[in-house]
Amino acid sequence: PSLWPPTLRPRARTRAMIGSQFVGSGAGSVLAFASYLGTSSALDHVLEPQQANCAGLITAASVNFWMQRQVFAPGAAFGVIFRRYCVAEAAIVLSQHGLFLSLLPFKRRCAEWWGVEEESPSVLAFLRTASQASVFVLLSFPLRRYWVFRGFPASSAGVAGSATVGRSGLAT
């Protein structure tokens, strides 16, 4: 059963559903981002920033899979979603890491702008935050919404839809 009033027009319901999914996906991404930032920041003390960043991205991808599945398709078959998610996450992680690497040359400039040492953890945290936020809006959310979880029933957390999931994992 839908949580949206039946009098809400279909187009308005669709906008509300996408908005609800954007918020839910964003909240999941924030939790995953916290795991990413925590892992990579902790490992910055023992690894190079590039290696620490990769470890953080892998941790975040694991957390994020579970969170995004809860938002977009909590009842869908694991295997089908997992395969699509892995392909999408590879593109997302490569984009995030590539953007982070392209921002590293600006580390000194950021430190000067903030008036902190170049090796301050806040500088790397800022560069990681900038790369994550940019990729979420431009790639992560659209890719998950329109490809990874396409064809699966919408989350019951305020999203309209009443499809059921068959053995193949596809909505019927």
Side-chain angles (χ1 to χ4, degrees):
S2 173
L3 295 177
W4 300 106
T7 56
L8 194 58
R9 294 185 319 208
R11 184 173 286 180
R13 270 193 304 230
T14 299
R15 285 188 201 129
M17 177 182 63
I18 292 170
S20 176
Q21 288 176 335
F22 187 83
V23 169
S25 181
S29 292
V30 166
L31 183 60
F33 177 71
S35 70
Y36 158 69
L37 199 56
T39 301
S40 56
S41 295
L43 292 176
D44 278 337
H45 302 290
V46 295
L47 299 173
E48 292 295 317
Q50 298 87 336
Q51 295 166 326
N53 195 64
C54 286
L57 287 170
I58 291 167
T59 302
S62 301
V63 170
N64 210 17
F65 172 71
W66 185 81
M67 297 299 295
Q68 299 304 322
R69 186 170 181 228
Q70 298 309 306
V71 171
F72 291 106
F78 177 83
V80 174
I81 288 179
F82 187 70
R83 286 189 295 274
R84 285 188 194 176
Y85 187 85
C86 286
V87 170
E89 199 63 20
I92 291 165
V93 166
L94 288 172
S95 298
Q96 289 169 336
H97 190 61
L99 185 53
F100 173 75
L101 293 178
S102 70
L103 292 174
L104 273 178
F106 298 98
K107 188 175 162 186
R108 176 178 291 145
R109 191 175 295 166
C110 287
E112 290 171 357
W113 185 57
W114 285 352
V116 298
E117 295 293 319
E118 185 176 346
E119 297 308 313
S120 170
S122 61
V123 176
L124 284 176
F126 171 76
L127 297 177
R128 288 182 173 123
T129 302
S131 67
Q132 288 274 320
S134 300
V135 171
F136 175 77
V137 172
L138 299 173
L139 182 65
S140 300
F141 178 77
L143 192 55
R144 290 178 186 134
R145 168 75 173 90
Y146 297 107
W147 184 66
V148 174
F149 298 102
R150 186 192 76 226
F152 293 99
S155 165
S156 59
V159 180
S162 60
T164 59
V165 178
R167 282 184 41 204
S168 67
L170 297 175
T172 56

